[in-house]
Amino acid sequence: MKLHNEIKKLIIECLDLEDVSIEDIDSDAPLFGDGLGLDSIDALELGLAIKKQFNIKIDANSEETKQHFYSVNNLAAFIEAQ
């Protein structure tokens, strides 16, 4: 669960989500669209932040990457697998 909170903190900090707390982000909820409502620019910034923080390579154009960025749970699983 520590990794989940670290990811949520990273999302809030790198995207300047001032009105959002770690508790507000559901680990299962989509990060884009209906969930947290992030857009493609947010995706780029988040991708760079994750790459930097966790030192992992992300293929921006891959269909798998879209799955990894679906939710906090998916991101945590992806990071742990690297």
Side-chain angles (χ1 to χ4, degrees):
M1 242 8 205
K2 182 177 178 280
L3 180 59
H4 287 70
N5 285 342
E6 209 175 317
I7 293 168
K8 291 176 185 182
K9 190 171 169 228
L10 187 68
I11 291 169
I12 292 166
E13 287 174 0
C14 97
L15 302 178
D16 291 327
L17 303 177
E18 292 167 2
D19 301 335
V20 180
S21 72
I22 287 174
E23 293 76 30
D24 292 336
I25 302 175
D26 181 349
S27 294
D28 292 319
L31 294 174
F32 301 91
D34 293 341
L36 198 54
L38 303 183
D39 62 25
S40 57
I41 293 167
D42 295 330
L44 285 173
E45 288 186 27
L46 182 57
L48 288 172
I50 285 176
K51 197 171 161 181
K52 194 170 145 190
Q53 173 118 7
F54 299 102
N55 197 22
I56 53 178
K57 191 174 183 321
I58 297 169
D59 179 359
N61 298 320
S62 124
E63 199 50 49
E64 276 180 14
T65 301
K66 287 181 186 156
Q67 290 303 313
H68 297 319
F69 277 78
Y70 176 77
S71 68
V72 170
N73 281 340
N74 288 21
L75 265 176
F78 171 63
I79 291 165
E80 285 170 346
Q82 293 303 302

